[in-house]
Every structure is written in structure tokens, then in C-alpha cells.
Amino acid sequence: MVSLQTVQYANVGVGSLPASLVAVFMGATSGIGQSALQHFAQHASSPRIYSVARPSAVASHDNFLSSLRQSNPTGTYNLIEADVSLISEIDRIVAGVKENETKVDILFMSAGFMAFEGRKDTREGLDPSMTTRYYSRLRLVQQLLPLLNNAPSPRVVSVLGGGLEGPLNEKDLDLRDPKNWSFWNSSIQSGTMGTLALERFAQANPRLSIVHWFPGTVATPGLARANKFGMSPTNPTSADEAGQRALFLATNDRYAVHGGLVPVPIGLSVAKKSGGGIFLVGPQGESADSEHLLAGLRKRGVDETVWRFTEKVFAASTAQAGHSKDEL
């Protein structure tokens, strides 16, 4: 276990990193993402931050970013309005970042929700709970790869279910058959497909450090929703602590393939990577192990099958977006 005191001490070192680190946040309008963004802005020197907010959250998130400007006026805070339940919106987000930046140092993704009310597809024909937790995240990584690879020590953090991977429904990867879909099945499917796809990115981009984190139960608006549907886990971690741990994952060399950011605290070692080359991390910062499942999936080429399917979904969504523009 990595103690909170160790995390806090290490995070002070973020202030000693080179100025103008570029960080992109998707899912920082509340909960863990917002807390991570706040702690990053608090510690970093002249950070250049891009944060994505859905239309309904733009006003409140703009107020939040204004508070960060007051606490750290040396930073640059950019709000990008987009609905990340639509894959087609991701390319527009990336275009906005590319207009102003030549590199991205940190990509932090925590968008998503559990669809307790049932599946209600978007206009792209996809389950939005899977889109926000899988398709849009992986599209964002894919499209930002050129800028990530331009950074000295690039890092991707995906907050979902690292270490909680489970068997995939390989015959219905997007769970289109109503018999296969449930809010829990969509969660396992998103997390497991996410790990396999992130491992492919790690293998193709050996300088890129990728963390898939399961934060445990955290006192967020998502947990408040879960309580209304009969899920009442005890002793949740505060969002503030989770945000500090998130910053540690995003900036500490304990979770780096080559180092270059904040040094590993004394008494700790570099975390163990999965067989596919990413860091699966549990709530307290320790390596999780899903090799009993993942090794078999890789051996059978399921990672390749998942990615081919994902690329087809990407192509369909971008083609649909193109037709919509033509109609306008």
C-alpha cells in the first residue's frame, strides 16, 4: 500500500517539473477527475490545461476553472465543450488541442457512468455508458498519440477497472443483444476491452506510460446515484484523497516505463506492468494482477479482435458524422 502521506510528499515534487506541462482531462467536471485537476493545477508550474465538459456542465465547470485561475494564475485553463458519449466529438476535441499545442504530457480520463436506468443508445447506435468508458477514451488516446509521443515522458491514466478484468462476451462485443446487456456487463466489457486496447497502444508506443486504475469506492456524484439504486458500499474514500492519488499516478516515476517525471519515493519500487505492458493499479497504488485472464485472451488473439471491432465502430461513427455535416 502507498500511504496518503507518501503520495502527498511525492506530489510536492510536481512543482519542480519543467514549466508548462500540457494536460488533457476528460471527465473532470466532478468527482475524481475534478479533484485530480485541482491538485494538478495546485502543484504544477504554469500548467497548460485542457478540460472537456458536456454542455450541461459547461457553466459550473467554467466557474471551477475560474477558481483555479485565481489559485494559480500562471496556468492556462481551456474549456472544451463536447458530448463524449459521441465518438465523433473526440476528433473535434483533439483538433482544439492541436491548434495550440505540439505535445501532450498527461492525458487523464475518468468520464463515464453506470447505466442503472437501462440502455438508451446514442444517435451513433451505441450504449453511452460503454462509449464514455471505452470507445471515446480509446479514440482520444489514438488521436492524441502524435502529441503524446512528442512529450519527454508521456503518461495516460484511465480511471475505471484496472485489475477487475473479466470474461468478455466475444460474440457481442458492444452488447447489442438485449439479453447480453446489463449495467454490470457493460462495466466489465468496457474495463476489459479497455485494458486489452491500452496494452496494444503501449506495445506500439514504447515511450508511453499507461495506467489503468481502479480507485475503489469513492464519494463522488456517481456513488450518490448508485446509492439510489440500492448500492451502498461502506467507508468510501473521499474525492480529495482520490484526486491526490490520481495525481501521483499521473506524475510519479513509479508508474513510468522510462521515468522522467517525479522520482519514485524512497522505500517504493517501480510498479509491475501487465504482460501487455501497462500498469494495472488498485485503490492504494499497488499493482493488480489479471494475467490469469489476460494472458489467455492475448494468446487467442482476442486483443486483436477487440481492436479490429473498435476500429470499425470508429469508422462508422466518423462516417455518420460526415454525412450529418453534408446534410447541414
Side-chain angles (χ1 to χ4, degrees):
M1 182 185 84
V2 183
S3 71
L4 180 59
Q5 183 178 15
T6 298
V7 166
Q8 293 169 334
Y9 180 81
N11 285 350
V12 173
V14 175
S16 300
L17 295 176
S20 300
L21 290 175
V22 179
V24 177
F25 287 82
M26 184 171 79
T29 57
S30 65
I32 297 171
Q34 186 178 81
S35 181
L37 171 51
Q38 182 174 8
H39 284 286
F40 176 69
Q42 173 187 333
H43 289 289
S45 175
S46 303
R48 298 181 59 80
I49 292 169
Y50 294 82
S51 187
V52 181
R54 61 191 181 280
S56 62
V58 164
S60 61
H61 198 52
D62 192 35
N63 289 335
F64 172 72
L65 294 181
S66 294
S67 71
L68 298 185
R69 292 185 186 97
Q70 294 178 2
S71 62
N72 184 357
T74 66
T76 303
Y77 306 89
N78 303 280
L79 189 156
I80 300 177
E81 180 180 339
D83 179 0
V84 299
S85 70
L86 298 172
I87 301 170
S88 55
E89 289 276 87
I90 300 301
D91 291 7
R92 185 171 61 81
I93 294 169
V94 172
V97 176
K98 285 183 175 180
E99 283 182 5
N100 301 302
E101 307 297 342
T102 58
K103 69 177 177 69
V104 167
D105 298 283
I106 297 169
L107 171 58
F108 191 92
M109 304 178 293
S110 55
F113 67 99
M114 295 185 77
F116 296 112
E117 299 88 348
R119 176 169 177 160
K120 299 178 182 178
D121 285 0
T122 66
R123 66 171 182 261
E124 294 177 339
L126 298 169
D127 166 23
S129 72
M130 284 190 66
T131 302
T132 51
R133 292 181 290 179
Y134 176 68
Y135 296 112
S136 289
R137 294 191 190 198
L138 273 296
R139 181 66 173 180
L140 188 56
V141 176
Q142 180 194 54
Q143 295 300 298
L144 282 178
L145 276 175
L147 298 190
L148 286 163
N149 283 325
N150 281 344
S153 302
R155 183 81 51 92
V156 171
V157 179
S158 184
V159 183
L160 189 56
L164 298 184
E165 293 77 11
L168 285 175
N169 188 324
E170 298 174 34
K171 295 182 178 180
D172 187 14
L173 287 173
D174 62 350
L175 304 180
R176 190 163 299 278
D177 188 333
K179 297 191 299 293
N180 296 330
W181 190 93
S182 69
F183 73 80
W184 184 249
N185 288 348
S186 69
S187 300
I188 296 298
Q189 200 86 345
S190 298
T192 306
M193 289 169 64
T195 289
L196 292 173
L198 289 171
E199 287 183 336
R200 289 180 61 83
F201 283 133
Q203 292 160 16
N205 302 272
R207 292 179 53 256
L208 180 62
S209 301
I210 301 178
V211 178
H212 185 185
W213 180 38
F214 170 60
T217 304
V218 180
T220 65
L223 181 60
R225 280 187 72 245
N227 291 341
K228 294 180 180 179
F229 289 88
M231 299 177 67
S232 302
T234 58
N235 301 319
T237 301
S238 70
D240 183 69
E241 177 177 338
Q244 294 181 68
R245 290 187 176 279
L247 179 60
F248 182 68
L249 295 173
T251 59
N252 200 271
D253 283 349
R254 186 165 199 251
Y255 311 99
V257 291
H258 294 300
L261 293 177
V262 179
V264 180
I266 295 174
L268 295 179
S269 58
V270 174
K272 180 182 177 181
K273 291 183 291 185
S274 72
I278 70 173
F279 298 94
L280 301 176
V281 182
Q284 305 301 314
E286 294 297 343
S287 297
D289 186 358
S290 292
E291 282 305 300
H292 61 286
L293 172 77
L294 296 174
L297 293 175
R298 294 189 214 103
K299 184 176 181 179
R300 292 193 294 108
V302 177
D303 54 343
E304 175 67 23
T305 300
V306 165
W307 188 244
R308 285 201 307 268
F309 178 82
T310 302
E311 288 186 309
K312 290 179 180 178
V313 172
F314 288 168
S317 68
T318 54
Q320 182 179 343
H323 289 315
S324 298
K325 291 176 183 177
D326 291 342
E327 292 170 1
L328 294 176

